[in-house]
C-alpha cells in the first residue's frame, strides 16, 4: 500500500459542520461592514515579494522567518500573502483610489500564509477578517474601526476579551525614544538578564516582555514612549480615548504594546481573549500613515485591523449547529423507470424551493427508509411500478398519491405555496 497523503503541517480541511460556523461568522462580518460603508475586496493570494519586504518591514518576524517565498517559472520572486494590509494598500495605489472620496473603506475575509510553529490557534494557512480605512487621519476613524471589531467579536460570542491600546507616535519620536531607552538599559546593564543585555542594541523594546525579576524592576522605572509623544500625536491619542470612552468601550492603556509590523504610527490596539491559551491574540491593528507613500502612492493616512477567524471560533467555543432536516426524500422501488421518475421529481422539488434528496446509493427499500430517517426527512415519497406513496413522517401518515401531485402536496403540508 502506498503511504497515506495528509494535509501539509499547519494546514487543515474545513469540513461541512465547520464551514457552517465560518459562514455565520462571514455573514455577521458582512452585515456589520455593509452597515458601516465598507466594501469587500479580494486581492491575489500571492504578490511580488518586494511588496511585503517594503510594506511589512525587512526587520519584522514575518519577513525574516515566516514568508512562503518562491520563484515562478518566469524568474519572479513571489510570496504567498502573510497579511492583508500591504496588498490592500497596493491595490489602493494601483487603482487610483486616492481619487475617491476619503476615507476609502474596505474589508476582506481571506486566507494568509505564514511559516510558523504549528500549534492550537497557530497555523500555516489561516483566515483573517480585516478592514482598512484610507485617506483620513481623524481619530474617529480609529475609533470606528475599534468599535467595529469589538462588535464583531461580541456578536460572534468571543469570551473574556481585553482590549489593549497604545500610541507609537511617529517614526522620529520612536527613533529618539529608542536611543533614550538604550541609554537607560546600558546604565542598568548589571541588573539585566543575559538575554535582555545581549539585545539592547538589536531590540531594546523586548526588555519590557522579560519575566526576569531584577530586569522587571529596572523596567518599572524605564522611560515610556507614551510619555514622549509629540503634541499632535498625544492629542490624537487623547481624542481617540475620549471617543472610545463615550462609546462605552473598555480598554487598558498598555505602554508596552508592540505590534508585529514595522509600519504602524500613532494608534495600535489588540484584543486578547483569556479563553485562549498561549495564542491569546484574537485581533489587532493600528494606524499606518506612512505605508501608502512607502508603496509608491501619494502621502495617505490609513488605519485598519485584522482578526483571526480560527481564534475567534476557538475563543467563542462555537459549536456546529444541528443540521436542519430535509423536506422530501424520494425513495424508489423497481428498475430504471422508477429511478428516472424519482430524478424528475427531485428536479421539480428543488425548482419549487424544497430541500430534497433522492436515493443515490442503490439501497434496498428498507435501507432507503432508514436513510430518509437519518436525513430527518419530513416527507418521503416512494415511487414503485404499481404507484406512488407519500409518507408524512411527523404525522406518521401515508397516502397513495398521483406522482405529479407529490411536490404540491409537500409544499402545502409545510405551508409553502408554489
Ligand atoms: P501572534 O502574536 O499570535 O503571532 P500576530 O501579531 O502575528 O499574532 P497579526 O499579524 O496582528 O498577528 O494578525 C492578526 C490576527 O491574525 C491575530 O490576532 C491572530 O488572531 C491571527 N493570526 C496571526 N497569525 C496566525 C496564525 N499563524 N494562525 C492563526 N491565526 C493567526
Ligand atoms: Mg505572529
Amino acid at each position: 500500500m502506498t503511504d497515506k497523503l495528509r494535509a501539509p503541517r499547519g494546514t487543515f480541511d474545513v469540513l461541512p459542520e465547520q464551514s457552517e460556523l465560518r459562514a455565520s461568522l462571514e455573514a455577521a462580518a458582512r452585515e456589520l461592514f455593509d452597515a458601516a460603508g465598507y466594501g469587500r475586496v479580494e486581492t491575489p493570494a500571492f504578490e511580488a515579494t518586494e511588496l511585503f519586504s517594503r510594506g511589512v518591514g525587512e526587520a519584522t518576524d514575518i519577513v525574516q522567518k515566516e514568508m512562503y517565498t518562491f520563484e515562478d517559472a518566469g524568474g519572479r520572486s513571489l510570496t504567498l500573502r502573510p497579511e492583508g494590509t500591504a496588498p490592500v494598500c497596493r491595490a489602493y495605489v494601483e487603482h487610483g483610489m486616492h481619487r475617491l472620496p476619503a476615507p476609502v473603506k474596505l474589508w476582506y475575509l481571506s486566507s494568509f500564509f505564514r511559516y510558523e510553529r504549528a500549534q492550537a490557534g497557530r497555523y500555516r494557512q489561516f483566515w483573517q477578517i480585516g478592514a482598512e480605512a484610507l485617506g483620513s487621519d481623524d481619530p474617529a476613524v480609529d475609533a470606528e474601526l475599534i468599535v467595529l471589531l469589538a462588535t464583531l467579536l461580541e456578536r460572534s460570542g468571543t469570551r473574556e476579551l481585553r482590549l489593549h491600546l497604545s500610541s507609537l507616535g511617529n517614526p522620529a519620536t520612536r527613533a529618539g525614544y529608542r536611543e533614550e531607552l538604550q541609554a537607560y538599559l546600558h546604565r542598568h546593564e548589571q541588573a539585566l538578564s543575559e538575554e535582555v543585555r545581549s539585545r539592547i542594541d538589536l531590540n531594546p523594546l523586548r526588555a519590557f516582555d522579560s519575566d526576569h525579576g531584577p530586569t522587571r524592576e529596572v523596567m518599572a522605572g524605564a522611560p515610556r514612549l507614551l510619555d514622549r509623544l509629540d503634541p499632535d500625536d498625544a492629542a490624537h491619542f487623547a481624542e481617540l480615548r475620549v471617543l472610545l470612552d463615550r462609546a462605552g468601550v473598555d480598554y487598558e492603556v498598555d505602554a508596552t504594546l508592540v505590534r508585529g509590523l514595522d509600519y504602524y504610527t500613532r494608534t495600535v490596539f489588540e484584543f486578547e481573549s483569556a479563553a485562549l491559551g498561549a495564542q491569546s491574540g484574537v485581533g489587532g491593528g493600528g494606524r499606518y500613515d506612512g505605508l501608502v507613500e512607502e508603496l509608491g502612492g501619494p502621502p495617505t493616512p490609513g488605519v485598519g485591523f485584522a482578526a483571526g477567524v480560527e481564534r475567534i471560533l476557538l475563543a467563542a467555543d462555537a459549536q456546529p449547529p444541528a443540521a436542519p432536516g430535509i423536506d422530501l426524500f424520494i425513495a424508489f422501488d423497481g428498475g430504471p423507470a422508477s429511478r428516472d421518475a424519482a430524478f424528475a421529481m427531485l428536479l421539480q422539488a428543488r425548482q419549487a424551493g424544497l430541500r430534497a434528496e433522492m436515493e443515490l446509493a442503490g439501497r434496498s427499500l428498507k435501507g432507503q427508509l432508514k436513510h430518509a430517517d437519518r436525513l430527518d426527512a419530513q416527507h418521503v415519497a416512494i415511487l414503485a411500478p404499481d404507484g406512488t406513496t407519500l409518507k408524512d413522517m411527523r404525522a406518521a401518515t401515508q397516502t397513495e398519491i398521483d406522482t405529479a401531485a407529490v411536490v404540491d402536496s409537500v409544499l402545502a403540508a409545510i405551508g409553502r405555496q408554489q
Side-chain angles (χ1 to χ4, degrees):
M1 217 174 88
T2 46
D3 280 347
K4 259 196 206 147
L5 287 171
R6 294 178 148 275
R9 189 172 173 72
T11 68
F12 51 87
D13 300 306
V14 179
L15 302 180
E17 281 192 343
Q18 280 295 319
S19 77
E20 280 299 313
L21 282 176
R22 288 167 170 261
S24 340
L25 181 55
E26 175 170 355
R30 174 182 297 281
E31 188 185 317
L32 203 63
F33 287 128
D34 249 15
Y38 286 71
R40 184 156 177 180
V41 287
E42 182 63 74
T43 60
F46 55 85
E47 298 266 1
T49 300
E50 189 193 350
L51 173 64
F52 301 112
S53 45
R54 254 160 68 185
V56 178
E58 203 67 73
T60 58
D61 277 358
I62 290 182
V63 172
Q64 292 271 313
K65 348 185 241 226
E66 298 175 359
M67 297 208 302
Y68 280 95
T69 297
F70 59 98
E71 197 172 285
D72 73 2
R76 300 167 197 87
S77 178
L78 298 172
T79 294
L80 297 184
R81 59 184 170 200
E83 61 93 51
T85 303
V88 166
C89 290
R90 195 261 314 132
Y92 175 88
V93 174
E94 185 166 336
H95 301 285
M97 288 191 248
H98 57 275
R99 289 188 295 267
L100 298 174
V104 172
K105 306 204 277 189
L106 303 166
W107 77 279
Y108 57 81
L109 195 173
S110 314
S111 64
F112 296 91
F113 307 85
R114 294 184 194 175
Y115 189 75
E116 301 206 67
R117 206 162 69 79
Q119 53 199 292
R122 189 177 291 290
Y123 307 98
R124 292 180 175 175
Q125 178 179 8
F126 58 98
W127 272 255
Q128 285 184 340
I129 296 174
E132 316 288 349
L134 291 140
S136 166
D137 65 2
D138 192 318
V141 186
D142 309 44
E144 165 174 291
L145 280 160
I146 292 173
V147 172
L148 278 170
L149 180 52
T151 309
L152 179 65
L153 295 176
E154 217 167 86
R155 287 193 189 165
S156 45
T158 312
R159 298 163 302 156
E160 300 176 61
L161 282 178
R162 273 208 324 265
L163 169 60
H164 300 260
L165 180 72
S166 191
S167 173
L168 299 180
N170 61 58
T173 311
R174 274 216 298 283
Y177 167 73
R178 192 185 152 97
E179 279 177 25
E180 185 186 351
L181 180 62
Q182 280 166 336
Y184 176 86
L185 292 173
H186 280 303
R187 277 203 304 282
H188 295 83
E189 216 160 331
Q190 70 292 345
L192 299 175
S193 76
E194 184 55 46
E195 201 206 341
V196 168
R197 207 181 318 152
S198 68
R199 306 180 87 186
I200 294 179
D201 295 314
L202 204 66
N203 194 347
L205 282 171
R206 279 280 164 91
F208 284 108
D209 298 334
S210 170
D211 42 23
H212 173 248
T215 303
R216 292 181 69 91
E217 271 171 45
V218 172
M219 295 321 288
R224 304 259 157 165
L225 176 57
L226 260 185
D227 305 321
R228 300 289 184 274
L229 298 184
D230 81 17
D232 283 354
D233 296 337
H236 191 274
F237 190 50
E239 285 170 51
L240 170 60
R241 293 186 56 179
V242 168
L243 290 166
L244 291 178
D245 291 340
R246 290 201 186 134
V249 175
D250 284 330
Y251 58 84
E252 239 168 78
V253 173
D254 178 352
T256 65
L257 181 62
V258 264
R259 304 256 327 141
L261 314 179
D262 263 2
Y263 49 61
Y264 286 113
T265 53
R266 294 186 163 174
T267 312
V268 283
F269 58 94
E270 187 155 80
F271 283 90
E272 274 188 344
S273 167
L276 297 176
Q279 272 46 257
S280 60
V282 181
R287 182 165 274 289
Y288 44 83
D289 291 344
L291 180 60
V292 171
E293 196 176 5
E294 173 65 36
L295 297 177
T300 308
V303 52
F305 70 71
V309 167
E310 293 74 30
R311 292 204 199 159
I312 292 176
L313 295 175
L314 274 173
D317 193 20
Q319 298 304 320
I326 64 172
D327 301 316
L328 174 64
F329 183 79
I330 306 164
F332 62 90
D333 204 6
S338 294
R339 198 265 324 266
D340 294 355
F343 190 70
M345 184 183 290
L346 177 73
L347 299 188
Q348 190 202 345
R350 289 184 184 160
Q351 195 75 45
L354 292 176
R355 294 167 52 84
E357 294 197 49
M358 71 175 275
E359 172 56 25
L360 292 172
R363 293 176 184 84
S364 68
L365 190 56
K366 193 166 158 224
Q368 295 182 45
L369 294 177
K370 220 168 121 189
H371 187 54
D373 217 37
R374 272 198 297 264
L375 295 172
D376 197 17
Q378 285 198 35
H379 299 86
V380 180
I382 303 166
L383 280 59
D386 59 349
T388 296
T389 309
L390 182 61
K391 286 156 113 33
D392 181 328
M393 306 307 278
R394 299 282 185 277
T397 57
Q398 78 175 53
T399 44
E400 303 297 310
I401 188 171
D402 191 4
T403 309
V406 166
V407 168
D408 279 344
S409 172
V410 173
L411 282 169
I414 65 173
R416 266 188 265 158
Q417 296 301 321
Q418 195 170 3

